Amino acid sequence: MSERREKLWYILNYIAEIGPVTTEKLIEYTGDIEELMELSTDELRESNILNDKMLRAWEDKRPMDGILMAQYEANELFGMHFASVESENYPERLKNIPGHPYGIHYIGRNANDYAHTAAIIGSRGCSGYGRELASEIGKRLSQIGVCVISGMALGIDAAGQWGAINAGGASVGGLGGGVDVCYPRENMPLYERLMSEGSIISEQPCGCPALPANFR
């Protein structure tokens, strides 16, 4: 796939008001990402797919196309990669989820590098025993070649991920904000380890804060 197509997906991904379900309808309507991105606001209005808020967001972002294309290149240089659903770097498992994102951002290893994965997710306000148990589970999973996936939250999530990477295994942190935004800040040491020894992944654009609506 051409870099131009990836950049077009990247631009579309920055329009937060247009989510996966709407994107699917737009692609069905136009047939292709390149055809879609050439449409004017008036042409999109005629499709009756976008509401007024979405149309305003589309119109506001279009003058920024050139800036976003340059941003795509800069992010790649700094190791913040983007993979559209058309890319070989897009996580294959995500394609099986209804309403999957049409683009993801990641730092570190490509998510497709991990043949076997398991999620460890739990309470932020866990007990000491719960934290120890999550860490032990993460450790044992890593010892049999399973990558631990979690949200890098305080409590069970982080404990499971620490258990995996401290045992020499791999872990993926799925964030509710941009991959360049460590959340929560208390987990900066974990964030840095995941960048170098695992992966950070998000469907949100770089720079996006960890908003409550993104945790779904």
Side-chain angles (χ1 to χ4, degrees):
M1 185 186 54
S2 71
E3 185 179 87
R4 170 177 164 72
R5 290 182 66 85
E6 280 293 85
K7 288 179 178 178
L8 292 177
W9 281 113
Y10 181 85
I11 292 169
L12 182 60
N13 190 64
Y14 256 79
I15 306 178
E17 291 79 2
I18 300 178
V21 174
T22 304
T23 297
E24 182 177 6
K25 292 178 181 178
L26 289 171
I27 295 300
E28 288 177 355
Y29 177 75
T30 60
D32 185 74
I33 183 64
E34 294 193 44
E35 296 293 331
L36 168 60
M37 298 305 282
E38 288 180 2
L39 294 184
S40 66
T41 305
D42 288 337
E43 288 172 323
L44 275 174
R45 184 177 287 109
E46 292 174 4
S47 73
N48 292 317
I49 295 174
L50 303 186
N51 60 33
D52 289 342
K53 182 179 180 180
M54 294 173 181
L55 286 167
R56 284 195 299 271
W58 176 278
E59 197 166 36
D60 291 344
K61 279 290 191 299
R62 294 318 298 267
M64 296 177 59
D65 285 4
I67 295 173
L68 290 173
M69 284 193 174
Q71 186 183 80
Y72 169 95
E73 296 176 358
N75 285 348
E76 288 291 322
L77 287 175
F78 285 99
M80 294 183 289
H81 308 293
F82 175 79
S84 77
V85 71
E86 296 181 354
S87 171
E88 63 181 13
N89 293 328
Y90 186 92
E92 286 295 325
R93 293 175 180 85
L94 275 185
K95 294 179 182 178
N96 298 321
I97 299 174
H100 61 262
Y102 277 75
I104 59 99
H105 301 257
Y106 68 96
I107 298 175
R109 292 172 59 183
N110 184 290
N112 287 325
D113 289 346
Y114 310 113
H116 306 289
T117 59
I120 297 180
I121 300 171
S123 172
R124 290 174 173 82
C126 64
S127 65
Y129 173 72
R131 189 175 291 106
E132 291 177 10
L133 186 58
S135 178
E136 182 65 21
I137 292 172
K139 173 184 175 181
R140 295 196 181 191
L141 284 171
S142 73
Q143 289 173 338
I144 58 173
V146 176
C147 171
V148 172
I149 300 178
S150 199
M152 217 182 81
L154 297 173
I156 296 297
D157 291 32
Q161 294 186 279
W162 273 120
I165 59 177
N166 281 337
S171 183
V172 175
L175 302 186
V179 292
D180 57 336
V181 180
C182 176
Y183 181 85
R185 297 296 298 177
E186 296 92 325
N187 272 341
M188 180 60 77
L190 175 59
Y191 176 84
E192 292 174 343
R193 287 286 296 274
L194 291 176
M195 283 198 298
S196 61
E197 300 173 37
S199 308
I200 302 288
I201 188 171
S202 176
E203 64 182 280
Q204 306 302 328
C206 292
C208 177
L211 301 173
N214 296 339
F215 293 87
R216 54 183 175 81

